[in-house]
Amino acid sequence: MTEATPRSPGTPCWVSLMVHGLDATQEFYNALFDWEFVPGPQQLGPYVRALLGGKEVAGIGQLPPDRHLRIAWTPYLAAEDADETAERIRCCGGTVAVGPLDAGEAGRLAICSDPAGAVFGVWQAEEHHGTVIAGPPGTPVWNELLTYETSAIGKFYRTVFGYEVEPVVSADHDYATLLAAGAPVASLHGVGDELPRDRGPHWMTYFEVADTDAAAGLVLELGGRVLRAPREGTAGRLAVVADPEGAVFTLVRSAEH
């Protein structure tokens, strides 16, 4: 995927982060992922788009000082009609917290949560189709929902976005893959009581890196935290980290690299 084109409904097409310290956060991700920044739509306050090699990969916005929301990377799922999708979300037991509203000429968005409380965005593209490049180090390459169990929540996402939900048959793991237009686009992972009590169900974005161990070490140097030390997983070598404001994400050196 080298250029932004319209995505099938339900495909994660963008990741965005809302923080209190926009300048400090840009410095952190510039040092970690080599991102550069340009101004983006300002409908929700100051907002920048992160570029890697001149191509858009993510967005970072600034929260008003009095807003104390959880600082978290949020995936945006593609929709043909944000208003219709928001209505389906409400009908299926989810919540629409922001919007739908226009983001300038770029498109139309809503910020929602599923019935278990995990927050995600909905994006109806106009001029801005989302992440232009995925695969090289510094790009978002996967999104996974960590939740209590996958069967009921899988039905919610299937009804809202039209996914095929493909359970992974395993005695040890409650895991399912979401497919849009036949292609795997995200995963659901039911972890029950292992969910962090202070976070609850949440979406996790995986960012590709050239060296997981070195990147995790750099996160520490830059004032972030390592929550799960680098380890081998089925997708490659993984580490779970948090930036200085507490946004959690996964570093991965994908197995095929």
Side-chain angles (χ1 to χ4, degrees), residues 121-138:
V122 170
W123 183 253
Q124 175 188 332
E126 298 297 341
E127 291 184 358
H128 178 65
H129 289 290
T131 301
V132 178
I133 180 171

mmCIF file of all heavy atoms in Angstrom, residues 121-138:
data_model
loop_
_atom_site.group_PDB
_atom_site.id
_atom_site.type_symbol
_atom_site.label_atom_id
_atom_site.label_comp_id
_atom_site.label_asym_id
_atom_site.label_seq_id
_atom_site.Cartn_x
_atom_site.Cartn_y
_atom_site.Cartn_z
ATOM 1 N N GLY A 121 -12.303 5.511 16.063
ATOM 2 C CA GLY A 121 -12.843 6.561 15.218
ATOM 3 C C GLY A 121 -13.496 5.982 13.979
ATOM 4 O O GLY A 121 -13.237 4.839 13.586
ATOM 5 N N VAL A 122 -14.360 6.771 13.371
ATOM 6 C CA VAL A 122 -14.968 6.447 12.084
ATOM 7 C C VAL A 122 -14.550 7.550 11.119
ATOM 8 O O VAL A 122 -14.613 8.737 11.461
ATOM 9 C CB VAL A 122 -16.512 6.402 12.210
ATOM 10 C CG1 VAL A 122 -17.168 6.313 10.838
ATOM 11 C CG2 VAL A 122 -16.938 5.237 13.093
ATOM 12 N N TRP A 123 -14.107 7.165 9.921
ATOM 13 C CA TRP A 123 -13.625 8.159 8.955
ATOM 14 C C TRP A 123 -14.299 7.969 7.605
ATOM 15 O O TRP A 123 -14.183 6.912 6.985
ATOM 16 C CB TRP A 123 -12.105 8.050 8.783
ATOM 17 C CG TRP A 123 -11.556 9.100 7.862
ATOM 18 C CD1 TRP A 123 -11.100 8.911 6.588
ATOM 19 C CD2 TRP A 123 -11.447 10.502 8.122
ATOM 20 N NE1 TRP A 123 -10.704 10.113 6.048
ATOM 21 C CE2 TRP A 123 -10.903 11.115 6.964
ATOM 22 C CE3 TRP A 123 -11.746 11.302 9.219
ATOM 23 C CZ2 TRP A 123 -10.659 12.473 6.864
ATOM 24 C CZ3 TRP A 123 -11.511 12.666 9.138
ATOM 25 C CH2 TRP A 123 -10.967 13.235 7.977
ATOM 26 N N GLN A 124 -15.018 9.006 7.163
ATOM 27 C CA GLN A 124 -15.587 9.069 5.814
ATOM 28 C C GLN A 124 -14.687 9.981 5.005
ATOM 29 O O GLN A 124 -14.659 11.193 5.207
ATOM 30 C CB GLN A 124 -17.013 9.611 5.871
ATOM 31 C CG GLN A 124 -17.659 9.817 4.508
ATOM 32 C CD GLN A 124 -18.986 10.544 4.628
ATOM 33 O OE1 GLN A 124 -19.674 10.467 5.628
ATOM 34 N NE2 GLN A 124 -19.352 11.287 3.588
ATOM 35 N N ALA A 125 -13.915 9.395 4.113
ATOM 36 C CA ALA A 125 -12.888 10.157 3.394
ATOM 37 C C ALA A 125 -13.497 11.042 2.324
ATOM 38 O O ALA A 125 -14.407 10.638 1.606
ATOM 39 C CB ALA A 125 -11.879 9.203 2.764
ATOM 40 N N GLU A 126 -12.985 12.252 2.232
ATOM 41 C CA GLU A 126 -13.230 13.116 1.083
ATOM 42 C C GLU A 126 -11.888 13.312 0.378
ATOM 43 O O GLU A 126 -11.497 12.512 -0.442
ATOM 44 C CB GLU A 126 -13.857 14.443 1.527
ATOM 45 C CG GLU A 126 -15.208 14.281 2.205
ATOM 46 C CD GLU A 126 -16.305 13.683 1.324
ATOM 47 O OE1 GLU A 126 -16.167 13.711 0.088
ATOM 48 O OE2 GLU A 126 -17.296 13.178 1.877
ATOM 49 N N GLU A 127 -11.128 14.340 0.793
ATOM 50 C CA GLU A 127 -9.815 14.543 0.168
ATOM 51 C C GLU A 127 -8.721 13.706 0.831
ATOM 52 O O GLU A 127 -7.684 13.445 0.230
ATOM 53 C CB GLU A 127 -9.433 16.030 0.224
ATOM 54 C CG GLU A 127 -10.282 16.903 -0.670
ATOM 55 C CD GLU A 127 -9.825 18.356 -0.673
ATOM 56 O OE1 GLU A 127 -8.864 18.678 0.052
ATOM 57 O OE2 GLU A 127 -10.443 19.155 -1.406
ATOM 58 N N HIS A 128 -8.953 13.309 2.095
ATOM 59 C CA HIS A 128 -7.903 12.624 2.862
ATOM 60 C C HIS A 128 -8.322 11.177 3.096
ATOM 61 O O HIS A 128 -9.250 10.908 3.851
ATOM 62 C CB HIS A 128 -7.711 13.346 4.201
ATOM 63 C CG HIS A 128 -6.689 12.716 5.095
ATOM 64 N ND1 HIS A 128 -5.357 12.660 4.786
ATOM 65 C CD2 HIS A 128 -6.816 12.107 6.294
ATOM 66 C CE1 HIS A 128 -4.701 12.042 5.755
ATOM 67 N NE2 HIS A 128 -5.573 11.693 6.678
ATOM 68 N N HIS A 129 -7.625 10.253 2.436
ATOM 69 C CA HIS A 129 -7.997 8.843 2.550
ATOM 70 C C HIS A 129 -7.288 8.136 3.701
ATOM 71 O O HIS A 129 -7.612 6.995 4.009
ATOM 72 C CB HIS A 129 -7.729 8.113 1.233
ATOM 73 C CG HIS A 129 -8.685 8.496 0.152
ATOM 74 N ND1 HIS A 129 -10.009 8.130 0.169
ATOM 75 C CD2 HIS A 129 -8.526 9.263 -0.960
ATOM 76 C CE1 HIS A 129 -10.624 8.634 -0.892
ATOM 77 N NE2 HIS A 129 -9.741 9.333 -1.596
ATOM 78 N N GLY A 130 -6.325 8.799 4.329
ATOM 79 C CA GLY A 130 -5.699 8.191 5.504
ATOM 80 C C GLY A 130 -4.219 7.933 5.305
ATOM 81 O O GLY A 130 -3.555 8.583 4.505
ATOM 82 N N THR A 131 -3.731 6.956 6.050
ATOM 83 C CA THR A 131 -2.316 6.599 6.035
ATOM 84 C C THR A 131 -1.897 6.223 4.619
ATOM 85 O O THR A 131 -2.512 5.354 4.000
ATOM 86 C CB THR A 131 -2.056 5.432 6.993
ATOM 87 O OG1 THR A 131 -2.448 5.832 8.310
ATOM 88 C CG2 THR A 131 -0.594 5.046 7.014
ATOM 89 N N VAL A 132 -0.857 6.883 4.129
ATOM 90 C CA VAL A 132 -0.453 6.691 2.736
ATOM 91 C C VAL A 132 0.503 5.514 2.603
ATOM 92 O O VAL A 132 0.575 4.870 1.564
ATOM 93 C CB VAL A 132 0.194 7.985 2.195
ATOM 94 C CG1 VAL A 132 0.679 7.802 0.764
ATOM 95 C CG2 VAL A 132 -0.802 9.138 2.258
ATOM 96 N N ILE A 133 1.222 5.201 3.661
ATOM 97 C CA ILE A 133 2.275 4.194 3.555
ATOM 98 C C ILE A 133 2.241 3.313 4.798
ATOM 99 O O ILE A 133 2.086 3.807 5.911
ATOM 100 C CB ILE A 133 3.660 4.879 3.385
ATOM 101 C CG1 ILE A 133 4.781 3.860 3.263
ATOM 102 C CG2 ILE A 133 3.945 5.868 4.490
ATOM 103 C CD1 ILE A 133 6.115 4.487 2.878
ATOM 104 N N ALA A 134 2.294 2.002 4.614
ATOM 105 C CA ALA A 134 2.329 1.062 5.733
ATOM 106 C C ALA A 134 3.307 -0.045 5.393
ATOM 107 O O ALA A 134 3.278 -0.578 4.283
ATOM 108 C CB ALA A 134 0.943 0.486 6.008
ATOM 109 N N GLY A 135 4.178 -0.362 6.326
ATOM 110 C CA GLY A 135 5.174 -1.412 6.096
ATOM 111 C C GLY A 135 6.560 -1.009 6.554
ATOM 112 O O GLY A 135 7.177 -1.695 7.366
ATOM 113 N N PRO A 136 7.095 0.152 6.079
ATOM 114 C CA PRO A 136 8.433 0.545 6.522
ATOM 115 C C PRO A 136 8.453 0.922 8.005
ATOM 116 O O PRO A 136 7.417 1.245 8.590
ATOM 117 C CB PRO A 136 8.738 1.782 5.661
ATOM 118 C CG PRO A 136 7.814 1.702 4.504
ATOM 119 C CD PRO A 136 6.588 1.024 5.022
ATOM 120 N N PRO A 137 9.647 0.883 8.638
ATOM 121 C CA PRO A 137 9.765 1.327 10.031
ATOM 122 C C PRO A 137 9.182 2.728 10.227
ATOM 123 O O PRO A 137 9.389 3.614 9.396
ATOM 124 C CB PRO A 137 11.271 1.315 10.274
ATOM 125 C CG PRO A 137 11.788 0.242 9.364
ATOM 126 C CD PRO A 137 10.935 0.352 8.131
ATOM 127 N N GLY A 138 8.407 2.874 11.318
ATOM 128 C CA GLY A 138 7.767 4.152 11.612
ATOM 129 C C GLY A 138 6.339 4.252 11.117
ATOM 130 O O GLY A 138 5.705 5.287 11.273
#
